[in-house]
Amino acid sequence: MLRSTGQSVPEAQPEAGFYEHVEQGYDRLARSYDDEIGTNEIGLRMRDVFRKALMSVLRPGDFVFEIGCGTGLEALWLARQGLEVMATDISGEMLAQLSEKSRAEGLSERVRTRRLAAREIGALGRDFGQES
């Protein structure tokens, strides 16, 4: 609701095919994502800050959702810290990379995946409880 006019803000609708385009783009990027994006100096610095903030409030055994997990750089790190992770992404190929890595590291019990677009996260509330 806009205070100045009292009118509702119309809900933005993406162009037809937008989410399919996003999914396809990330599917294509999945195999090279860690090398091309995961090693970016700025991304590494941001990841370090993010991880410190998370671990100041999370403890081993806690359950977390990661929305838009990509290849699982954070999901795997969280699992290594002893957390249980439900990792979601729109890209099936990104999730395949994460699943492969979690099996290789013996973390499959701590990392679960679901193909889900960020706009669909309400489904997690239905499955895990609204307080999640």
Side-chain angles (χ1 to χ4, degrees):
M1 182 77 65
L2 297 174
R3 279 191 250 193
S4 60
T5 64
Q7 296 177 332
S8 296
V9 177
E11 186 176 317
Q13 295 296 321
E15 294 180 26
F18 172 78
Y19 292 109
E20 292 80 10
H21 178 74
V22 170
E23 178 183 358
Q24 291 169 4
Y26 280 109
D27 280 350
R28 286 188 201 116
L29 183 59
R31 291 194 189 281
S32 62
Y33 184 87
D34 289 357
D35 291 332
E36 293 180 20
I37 306 298
T39 58
N40 174 286
E41 295 266 341
I42 294 170
L44 290 170
R45 173 70 179 128
M46 289 173 51
R47 192 170 295 119
D48 184 52
V49 170
F50 174 71
R51 289 173 175 179
K52 286 176 184 171
L54 284 175
M55 294 316 293
S56 72
V57 295
L58 297 172
R59 299 289 173 258
D62 285 351
F63 180 85
V64 296
F65 295 106
E66 185 179 1
I67 311 302
C69 67
T71 62
L73 296 171
E74 300 337 312
L76 291 167
W77 185 85
L78 290 165
R80 287 183 210 112
Q81 309 315 302
L83 282 79
E84 305 294 323
V85 182
M86 168 53 71
T88 70
D89 203 277
I90 195 171
S91 167
E93 291 298 319
M94 289 285 197
L95 292 174
Q97 294 292 313
L98 170 53
S99 293
E100 183 179 312
K101 292 190 295 187
S102 67
R103 275 191 301 278
E105 289 192 40
L107 295 170
S108 295
E109 295 293 319
R110 289 202 175 133
V111 179
R112 292 183 278 169
T113 63
R114 182 174 300 177
R115 189 173 165 272
L116 192 72
R119 74 180 187 284
E120 301 168 324
I121 61 172
L124 297 173
R126 289 189 297 276
D127 295 345
F128 293 93
Q130 292 301 320
E131 68 282 354
S132 299

